Amino acid sequence: MKGLWVVFLVMAAGHADPRGKAYEKNKVCQQFNMMGKIQFSYLAMIESSRKYSNATFEEIGHVVKEFVVLADTCCAEDAAPDCYDIGASAMSAKSCDPKSPFPKHPGTALCCTHKGLERKLCLADLKQPPKEFPTYIEQSNEEVCAAFKKDPLEYANKFLYEYSSNYAQTPLLVIVNATENFLKMARTCCTANKPTMCFAKQKLLRKTLQILTVMSNRLCSRYASYGSEQLKFSALITFAQKLPTVEFQDVLPLVEQCIPILAKCCTSITENCMESELSTHIQTICSKLSSKSEKVSDCCQHSSLEALLCLYSMPNAEAVTLPPPPRPKNAALCNPDKNDEMNKYSFEIARRNTKVPEAFVDKLHEAARSVVNGCCSSENPNTCLAKKRPHLRDQMLKFLAEAKELCGDFNKYSFTEFKKRLSNMFSKKDPKPTPSRLAELVEERANLASTCCVVNAPPVYCKEKINTGIEEM
């Protein structure tokens, strides 16, 4: 069956004419007739769940049902020539109905101002952002078999929805292989004489595929949310805080090697692109950094993908004693290479403040970049920077101290005691907040800390939280 998936994906890529790839009858019908109704609906469930990763199962179900009915009706030999076009137009019209059962998207209204093919293409391009808070929890063996035996088709659809929406940024072929592998395991083990032994054996066999699914989703989610430059910065800070003894010049080439891999493989329909490229990348990391860090060396004793998971899961190191970082000269900040100069300075700050989460370091970096960009476009950049940098430095040190205190207290005290300390802190502010406002401030700050003062915190969510709550920090 894997061959059918590959053919489907190659055709779905629509390299010849991208404007018609989503609604061209011949291709859809070829896929439908080749795969059959059930397999076609499975792939529609996977694709729809990835596209609308924050939609409900019922909303996705409506889309899949309509699309499968459209293909089933209009791909028949005796179907009218305009059957597919009429059906596809009806689906796009239904999407524009305020009472539509389809998934909601803020871009839908704008798409619905268009007509015909333009509307269809616009709607086809809509995609919800990556899910930062996963909801998929793998069921116990007993739960899997109970649900599977009750209704195999319903179980498969719900599993495809949950798994695909939670790992929506994983390359499509990886998701297809992972879901097909899991459902095959359920079919085999739920009818086996010794289900427990069967599940144990099958889960061991799919361990590498599971790691690939999880890690490619995490990396591609960050790439989709950040883009190349911001992801480069993020990766540098991650290295700085997990491996503070490693120098900037050792890390930069590794980060720059990774970005093109994600650009190439996150949306690739080439089988093994992500696994092959990531394995090579991890081997490079291991060869370059194992001698510089015992923790890296320990991780690199495993296979490439297990080493990747090990490195990703590595907690931030304890801060090391280093001299104050050299500050970039004014002239260097306005050069074409200023981004690397600023990235290096933030890297050095992160090395010395390993317990301050990335989102807080990012806030410092953005503040510095804003001042630098403003001054570099002024009539006298050097004078501007000389005037503004001392104040910026004071603000950065103040923010850094408060971020260290916030996350330090969160990790040091029980959550109840932590909230008491927040309440005491806010009570001393002038003007003194009202009791209701005090309760709001404590809850907001406690929520910020509990979500963002942890390893591998959700980047987009934390950035928004820090930006909205920063006035009171």
Side-chain angles (χ1 to χ4, degrees), residues 176-187:
V176 168
N177 289 340
T179 52
E180 183 181 346
N181 181 278
F182 187 94
L183 291 175
K184 181 181 178 181
M185 177 179 71
R187 287 193 302 271

Side-chain angles (χ1 to χ4, degrees), residues 28-233:
V28 171
C29 288
Q30 191 175 356
Q31 296 154 12
F32 181 82
N33 293 328
M34 182 171 54
M35 300 177 73
K37 187 174 181 178
I38 292 179
Q39 296 300 332
F40 184 86
S41 67
Y42 280 172
L43 189 54
M45 178 63 75
I46 292 173
E47 272 289 51
S48 299
S49 299
R50 294 172 79 245
K51 178 180 170 68
Y52 297 109
S53 56
N54 294 295
T56 66
F57 175 67
E58 289 72 23
E59 289 172 333
I60 296 298
H62 282 293
V63 173
V64 173
K65 181 180 178 181
E66 294 258 352
F67 191 55
V68 173
V69 167
L70 174 66
D72 194 20
T73 304
C74 298
C75 294
E77 290 185 9
D78 58 350
D82 59 353
C83 173
Y84 188 87
D85 188 54
I86 291 173
S89 296
M91 278 189 71
S92 66
K94 193 170 187 176
S95 299
C96 295
D97 187 336
K99 297 180 180 179
S100 171
F102 294 164
K104 308 299 183 289
H105 191 286
T108 300
L110 179 60
C111 289
C112 294
T113 60
H114 303 296
K115 295 182 180 180
L117 181 61
E118 288 297 326
R119 175 188 287 184
K120 295 173 189 175
L121 292 172
C122 182
L123 290 170
D125 283 339
L126 296 180
K127 190 173 186 178
Q128 291 178 345
K131 185 182 288 187
E132 287 205 283
F133 297 95
T135 57
Y136 174 71
I137 300 174
E138 187 167 316
Q139 296 175 308
S140 67
N141 299 343
E142 293 74 19
E143 289 171 326
V144 168
C145 289
F148 178 79
K149 290 178 179 178
K150 182 179 179 180
D151 188 336
L153 189 59
E154 178 74 2
Y155 171 76
N157 280 322
K158 285 188 174 179
F159 167 73
L160 292 173
Y161 159 75
E162 287 282 353
Y163 201 86
S164 301
S165 61
N166 274 270
Y167 299 117
Q169 297 299 314
T170 299
L172 184 54
L173 267 179
V174 177
I175 278 285
V176 168
N177 289 340
T179 52
E180 183 181 346
N181 181 278
F182 187 94
L183 291 175
K184 181 181 178 181
M185 177 179 71
R187 287 193 302 271
T188 302
C189 295
C190 290
T191 57
N193 292 328
K194 297 180 179 180
T196 302
M197 186 180 297
C198 178
F199 273 112
K201 180 180 179 181
Q202 291 301 316
K203 287 181 179 180
L204 186 62
L205 291 174
R206 71 186 304 270
K207 181 180 178 181
T208 298
L209 180 57
Q210 178 65 7
I211 293 174
L212 177 63
T213 303
V214 172
M215 290 309 303
S216 60
N217 181 68
R218 288 173 178 170
L219 295 172
C220 292
S221 290
R222 292 215 166 195
Y223 182 75
S225 298
Y226 279 169
S228 297
E229 281 304 311
Q230 181 64 21
L231 181 59
K232 177 180 175 180
F233 171 80

